[in-house]
Each structure stands twice: as C-alpha cells, then as structure tokens.
Amino acid sequence: MSGATGHTAAAEQQGGPPAAVRRGVRGHPWLTLLTLSVGAMMVSLDGTIVTVAQPAMQADLGASLTGIQWVTNGYLLAVAALLIAAGRLGDRYGHRTVFLIGAAGFTATSVAIGASGSLGWVIGLRVLQGVFGALMQPATLGLLRTAFPAEKLNMPIAVRSAVIAASTAAGPVVGGLLVEHAAWSWVFFLNVPLGALALVLGVVVLRDARAEQGRSGRLDLLGMAVLGGALCLFVGGLATVADRGRPDARTTALLAAALLLGAFFTWWERRADDPLVPPRIFRSVRFTVGVLTMLAMSFVMFGAPFVLIFYLQNVLGLSPADSGIRVLGLTLLMIVGAPPAAMWISRSGPRAPVVAGLLVTATAMCALSRLDAQSGTLQTTLCFFLLGLGFSPVMVGATKLVIGSAPVELSGVAGGMQQTSMQVGGSLGTAVAGALVAAHTASALPGRLAAEGVVLGPGALDEAVRKVSVGLAPEAGAVDAAQAALTRIGQTVFLEGMQQALLATAAVAALGAVAGLFAGRGRAAPPGSGEGHDR
C-alpha cells in the first residue's frame, strides 16, 4: 500500500496523473489526447476555412479590402497578444478550466459571428474569438505535459501535429464547399458540433492540471499588458509589410514601439515578484533551442507559401483547387511523417531529427527556388514532398524541446512560448518573403522595361509594379506585341524575386539547423531528475 501511494505521489509530483486516475476515464492519457485533438482541430480548421470565405463575406457585407483583412488580422493580433498570458493563467488556475472556458467562448463567438450582419460586429467578435482561441492553445500542450511523462511525449505531440496539419489542409476544401452550397456563415457554424464535442469530452475526460496550487502571489498583470502590447505591435507592424509589400513609416513606428515595450518587459520580468515569464525558464539550453528552431520552421512554413501561392495561380495559371493538389504532398508528409518522427526522437533524442529536418527543409527551399514558368506537376509535387519530409521531425522535435525541457509548473508558459514562436516566426516569414519580392520588383522592373523599349507613365508603372509583385502580368493597353513583352518581363522579374525570397527562407532553415546542434545529445532528462537542465 505504501509503495502504491508513493508511486502515485511521485507521479503527481512529476506532472503526470496518478496511477489510479490513469485507469479511469478522467485523466486517461489517450482520451486526454483525443479531447485536445478535437479542440486543436477546431482552432486549426478555423484558421484556413475563414480565408476561403472572405470574398463572399466582403460581397455580402459590402466591406472594403482593408476592412475584410481585419477579419483575419484582428483574430491573429488577439491570439498573438495573449498566448503566453493564457499559458500562465493555466499554470495558476488549471489548464482544464482555461481550456473549457476557451472552448465554450470560441464556440459561442462562432455562432455570434455567423449570425452577424455587419462588418463591425464580425471584426469585433473575431477579436473576441481570438481571445478564446488563445486560451485554448497553450492549455492543450499544458494538459499533454501533465497527462504523459516527459519521456513519452513524442507520440502525443506527433498526433497533435498530424491533426493540426490535416485540419489546416481540409480548411480550404471544406470552406469552399460551404460557401458554394450554403453561405459564408456556415464556416463559423461548423464550429458548433466540434465545440460541443470538445466541451463534453473536456468535462468528462480532462483532469485539472494546476501546477501552482497554494501560490498566493499576485498575477503579473503589468507584464501581461506590456508583453501583449509588444506582441500586438510587432505582429501588426509585420502585417503592414505583408499587406503593402514594403516597410513604410507606419511599419517603422509600430516595430520601434514593439521593441521599446519588449525591452521594458525584459527589465520588468527580472524585478517582478511573480513574473509572467520567469527568466529561469531560459536557463535550459534545450528550451531556448526549441524556441529558436520553432521560429525558423514557422518562418519557412508561412513565408514560403505566401509567395508560392502567387506563383502557382498567377504564373502557372492554376485554379485554387489545382494549387491545392500541387501542395498536397506537403500536407500528406506532415500527417504521415509525424508518428515516425516521434519514434525517431524517442530513440535518438530530438537533436538529430530537428537538425536533419531543417537541413532537408533548406534543401527543399533551394529546389523550390529553381521553379519557373515551365515547371510541371511532377517537379513541384516532389519539391513539396521534400518540404513535408523536413517539417515533420522539426514540428515534433522542437515542440518536445520546448514542452519537455520546461519545469512542470511552467508547462502553460512553455505552451504559450511554443505557440507564440510559431506566430512570430510565421509573421516574420510572410513579411520578409513579401518584402523581398516587392523590393526586387520595384528595383528591377523599370530597368527591364526600359531595356525592351516599353514606356509606361508614372501611374501605369506603379500599377505594373504592384501586379508583377504578385505574379500578374501588367496591361500594356496597346498592341499585342507590347503585351507579350510585358508578360515575359513581368514573369521573369517575379520569378527572380521569388527565388530571392525562397533562398532567404532556406538560409533561415539552415541557421535553425545550426541552433539545433546545441540541443545536446540524447533524450531530455525525466521530469523528476532536474527537468529543465541540460544533460
């Protein structure tokens, strides 16, 4: 009896559920994974399904292009600002409680958005939906961290990654069908059955995981506000680059303000009695490497498609459906590659898989940079297969480094850091890739046109630059020969800019691989033996 009690206490101390609880429904590790996968599916599906519905929303609500962009930007900014704070709330008040609040709020706001008849209400409710989405995401990783021992986290993380990849890929297909055969509101109503299932399973299955029981210190409200503001300004500043194709005075002001707030946040966290992000979490080199490699992978994962979608549709002339088929290999490899990656990490530790994955990713980006207007289906599909092969071990391994290397009592903060690094890396990748293409177009196109004897007025030249930067051919408004020359020059300039952008993402992946070398050999130490320190 004493041995069983000691085993149970040890399990609780190490962040896993007690042995007695594991035998029942409440706190069962794999049922917990199922529940959290439903929640992750709802949030991931929402991320891509709404994008497909935006043209129909714009027409139905009479919105401008800038206005409809805030349907997405408002959501993303709310998520970015609150992820780490949401993880800290889970550490203090229970990840199960925070997850259920997030799932209930996400579902309710989905219904309200679908029933809204004005753009203002849709944007406001999307911001609120982002708040609830931010509550859910770190909680899923925090609950996984406490449901499974650290040495057995690889497969649950792989399953979660596969679910996210499948849901993200299904979003455009499901969204297109709903918009075509029903209405844009149904892309939000779809969250109702998923949210209801997540709530029912959450109430029945999830075991409350609260790492800070008995803590009486005050929440770091100032730290939450400052960090949230800094992240919001940072992502917002990068969004202006992606929207306009180049940085401007507004971009500089937003990024400078974000830098100042970030510096103040760092200063404050070293002096706060109960900091939002305790500096000691970065004492683990593995944790820091996990954050850096996640940043590198997200930079490529979001930055490359931002440019390649223009290539597929505007240069190759593919329909959205055909474009999806070309990149299907990327999604399939991320889905089927995650479990083998988890087994590899279990045997060798995360360093070798993460480094190898990032090197394969860099190789895939170099191959994609060689695509041209005559590239066929086989060539592009093989490139995307190679990219998916690289992403899988990085997604699982980097997540394991972040979650498994953090102390159990900071599992929510670690989950928030993992999600925030993905958000920031994706925003950086999108902004940098778009800016490189736009900058090359603006500098190279006028000279190429002049060399060919094509003369455009100042207004027409600006319009030509805007079109070429997204792979479209500018209109000559004259004879067919001039139009043919514009099309040829425009494609050449865009492909050169795309090559620069994709090679930049390859360089970032290679730098991530260098960072991965510092993860240390072997597997992370189990949670009872100095978790958070390097072996």
Side-chain angles (χ1 to χ4, degrees), residues 108-119:
T109 50
S110 296
V111 174
I113 294 170
S116 297
S118 70
L119 180 64

Side-chain angles (χ1 to χ4, degrees), residues 477-502:
V479 295
D480 291 341
Q483 182 62 59
L486 275 176
T487 300
R488 174 174 51 80
I489 295 169
Q491 282 191 350
T492 300
V493 170
F494 172 79
L495 288 171
E496 290 171 351
M498 183 183 81
Q499 182 182 53
Q500 292 181 9
L502 297 183

Side-chain angles (χ1 to χ4, degrees), residues 35-40 94-104 132 135-137 139-140 143 198-199 201-202 206:
T35 304
L36 301 177
S37 295
V38 173
H95 294 298
R96 174 179 181 268
T97 301
V98 171
F99 176 84
L100 292 176
I101 292 173
F132 290 116
L135 291 177
M136 292 179 66
Q137 294 182 53
T140 63
L143 286 162
L199 283 169
L201 288 174
L206 296 181

